[in-house]
Amino acid sequence: MPFLPAVSSQGGKILWIAGNGPVPLYHKHPHVPEEEREWLSGGFRAQFDRTMANVKLVVEAGGGTLQSIVKMTVYLPDMSYQNELNQGIFDYFGRENPPPRTLVGAALSHQDMLIEIDVTAIV
């Protein structure tokens, strides 16, 4: 099985973290087209890595680490990226104990956005 189906916790602070994508958490509005093209460039793995950097930033701001994540929901507009997603998850969390996750096919907020992830963490 490529994922952990559940996790339990006794005590701790729970963080529910909204969806993160490859767009920097802090950016100008309205978006600057040149910056937006850069954020959404590089294909799936590049967007996945930028998304995980954003997730890590938020989890750490809440007092945790990536290992504090106990649940992920991953949104993909194209389910053909599932194998690349699995490899990325293994690269960040290892094969032995990745967090439980749900994969959802979804339209995202920008037509060139390939991934969005929301997480729950216990810190």
Side-chain angles (χ1 to χ4, degrees):
M1 183 170 214
F3 60 89
L4 181 68
V7 73
S8 65
S9 172
Q10 294 195 359
K13 179 172 70 172
I14 300 174
L15 302 174
W16 287 274
I17 299 172
N20 284 264
V23 176
L25 297 175
Y26 300 101
H27 58 273
K28 297 175 191 168
H29 283 221
H31 294 172
V32 176
E34 296 79 22
E35 291 176 348
E36 191 172 76
R37 278 192 293 280
E38 183 179 327
W39 304 331
L40 301 173
S41 68
F44 181 81
R45 184 57 194 245
Q47 287 196 28
F48 174 81
D49 288 336
R50 286 193 289 272
T51 299
M52 288 302 298
N54 289 335
V55 168
K56 183 176 185 278
L57 182 67
V58 177
V59 170
E60 288 178 349
T65 67
L66 288 179
Q67 286 63 45
S68 304
I69 295 172
V70 296
K71 176 70 169 75
M72 300 177 80
T73 304
V74 180
Y75 304 89
L76 299 180
D78 182 345
M79 298 301 265
S80 72
Y81 293 120
Q82 188 170 356
N83 288 336
E84 287 180 76
L85 169 68
N86 287 337
Q87 185 57 56
I89 295 293
F90 295 150
D91 291 346
Y92 279 83
F93 297 98
R95 288 183 177 271
E96 299 303 315
N97 198 25
R101 70 180 185 271
T102 300
L103 180 61
V104 179
L108 302 178
S109 62
H110 190 286
Q111 66 183 9
D112 295 327
M113 197 164 139
L114 303 176
I115 188 166
E116 185 170 337
I117 299 174
D118 67 53
V119 303
T120 303
I122 297 176
V123 298

